[in-house]
Amino acid sequence: MSPPAAGEQEVAAGSTAPVGGGVHPVLERLAAYSWRLLVVGAAALALLSLLGRVRIVLIPLVVALLFSRVLTVPVSWLRLRRWPKSLAAGTALLGFLAVMVAAFAAIGSSMADELQDLGPTLGKAVDDVERWLVEDSPFDVNRADIARIREDLGDRARTALESSGGAVVSGAILVVEAIIGVFLGIIVTFFALKDGDRFLGWARGLVPAPRREMADVLARQAWTTLGGYLRGAALLGLVEGIAIGVALTVVGAKLALPVALLTFLAAFVPFVGAIVAGGIAVLVALATAGFDGAVVILIVAVLLQQFDNDLLAPVVYGRALNLHPVVVLLAIMTGGALFGLPGSFMAVPVTAVAVNVTAAAKRYGGDRPADAVADAAATVH
């Protein structure tokens, strides 16, 4: 039997066709990746399901972590003046709670009547928009379409508020979970402020000795990111709330104080919160100050959003929130699907911490571990 020609040898050498009727190499590689992806996906679904089931404990723990980050500064100040740990932690926590209660009580007492009018005002504004869509807009929209859309939105809103992880729960269970969560969060916050150093020392001892320096770097990075996010969100919320409140007052709209407070709280849900709060401000202006006032508030909201996103937010947040808007949106949607409204608020700081810690781990794992340690230490506040 004569050997194959040179051209036939080249074809055989460069061919990816299976030999002897075996599986094609490309299909074999795709199959290898597919079953690995299936395993990873199953593990991720199991983890998300577990997190959804333990939300009554997980949410207070995350909230306690956020409060602890805020109260670390006053506790450290008191400790420098030789206050005992328990007294410093208790004083800072009770003072924080007293300030929060007093602030909400003062705001609530001054705008109780306005808050009662907020719902009807928004309803009137929505009715005005519906009337324009049906009677004057260039779109082919009828009352039946509006009613169907409104009903669907109402069902989705109720589902979002009453569900967590896809399971509908009653309002009574939500109230009980909220009460338990508040008390658990307060208790965990107190012990975190009082015994945080001991806990960190215990956790550090669990890490293998060669990895402890890296663990310190990642812990500092997480703590820095969390602090930067909280400070940035509070500052941006204050700027946006004051600007929207002043604008509503200038155009002669009502409910300026409630909308300003809502805008401040919405700043803790980046991008999405500002859009929702701006939409509510426009609707309030439409119902209480007319079309011209609503246009002015819309312009102010758009300009304020652009100013915050393009100029103020990069300076205020720094590297604490170096996330693409798409990542932020997906994080908020995932947090809301798993834990409802609290999950929407917690999704962004958790994601920001995870991303920045991962980046710090990569820097540490490269050729510059000393630079990573110095960078994390220099950014701790």
Side-chain angles (χ1 to χ4, degrees):
M1 181 178 179
S2 61
E8 295 177 355
Q9 290 180 351
E10 292 177 0
V11 173
S15 175
T16 59
V19 180
V23 179
H24 197 286
V26 174
L27 181 58
E28 185 176 3
R29 178 169 295 184
L30 289 176
Y33 279 109
S34 297
W35 74 259
R36 288 177 172 85
L37 290 175
L38 288 175
V39 173
V40 173
L45 288 177
L47 178 60
L48 293 177
S49 177
L50 177 62
L51 293 177
R53 292 180 180 275
V54 298
R55 64 183 182 276
I56 193 174
V57 175
L58 184 62
I59 292 178
L61 289 178
V62 176
V63 172
L65 181 63
L66 298 177
F67 285 171
S68 299
R69 186 62 180 93
V70 173
L71 297 177
T72 297
V73 175
V75 170
S76 299
W77 185 83
L78 293 175
R79 290 288 296 145
L80 289 176
R81 281 147 184 82
R82 300 183 183 279
W83 282 47
K85 289 184 177 181
S86 299
L87 184 59
T91 301
L93 181 58
L94 291 178
F96 174 74
L97 295 176
V99 169
M100 294 291 293
V101 171
F104 278 102
I107 294 175
S109 62
S110 64
M111 65 181 187
D113 295 336
E114 291 185 345
L115 282 175
Q116 294 178 357
D117 296 335
L118 181 59
T121 300
L122 293 178
K124 182 178 181 298
V126 173
D127 292 338
D128 292 341
V129 173
E130 291 180 359
R131 188 179 304 109
W132 176 82
L133 286 173
V134 174
E135 299 177 0
D136 302 324
S137 74
F139 308 107
D140 185 15
V141 181
N142 54 48
R143 293 287 182 182
D145 296 332
I146 295 293
R148 184 168 55 254
I149 294 174
R150 197 168 188 173
E151 184 179 356
D152 291 342
L153 291 177
D155 292 339
R156 291 179 180 273
R158 284 190 296 271
T159 301
L161 291 175
E162 296 177 357
S163 65
S164 178
V168 178
V169 295
S170 66
I173 295 179
L174 286 176
V175 172
V176 172
E177 288 186 355
I179 295 175
I180 295 175
V182 168
F183 280 104
L184 183 59
I186 292 174
I187 294 172
V188 174
T189 301
F190 171 76
F191 283 106
L193 295 172
K194 174 180 175 291
D195 300 322
D197 294 339
R198 292 174 55 188
F199 175 76
L200 289 177
W202 170 80
R204 192 175 187 272
L206 298 178
V207 180
R211 297 288 183 178
R212 287 177 184 173
E213 186 180 22
M214 180 178 180
D216 292 338
V217 171
L218 300 186
R220 292 192 189 103
Q221 185 62 53
W223 199 242
T224 300
T225 301
L226 190 58
Y229 166 78
L230 292 175
R231 287 191 301 272
L235 181 58
L236 289 179
L238 185 63
V239 172
E240 294 172 357
I242 292 175
I244 291 296
V246 170
L248 288 172
T249 303
V250 169
V251 300
K254 298 180 180 178
L255 306 173
L257 190 56
V259 175
L261 178 61
L262 179 63
T263 303
F264 171 78
L265 297 177
F268 288 88
V269 185
F271 305 115
V272 177
I275 295 174
V276 173
I280 292 176
V282 172
L283 289 177
V284 169
L286 178 63
T288 60
F291 180 78
D292 294 339
V295 172
V296 172
I297 297 300
L298 177 61
I299 295 174
V300 170
V302 172
L303 293 178
L304 184 63
Q305 179 76 359
Q306 293 301 315
F307 172 74
D308 286 347
N309 292 342
D310 298 336
L311 298 177
L312 191 57
V315 176
V316 171
Y317 282 120
R319 288 182 299 174
L321 195 63
N322 189 21
L323 301 176
H324 193 277
V326 174
V327 177
V328 173
L329 179 60
L330 293 176
I332 293 172
M333 294 176 62
T334 302
L338 289 174
F339 304 108
L341 188 59
S344 299
F345 280 91
M346 297 186 304
V348 177
V350 170
T351 304
V353 168
V355 170
N356 283 278
V357 167
T358 302
K362 290 181 178 179
R363 291 197 301 270
Y364 186 91
D367 298 330
R368 301 180 301 158
D371 294 343
V373 175
D375 179 65
T379 54
V380 174
H381 294 83

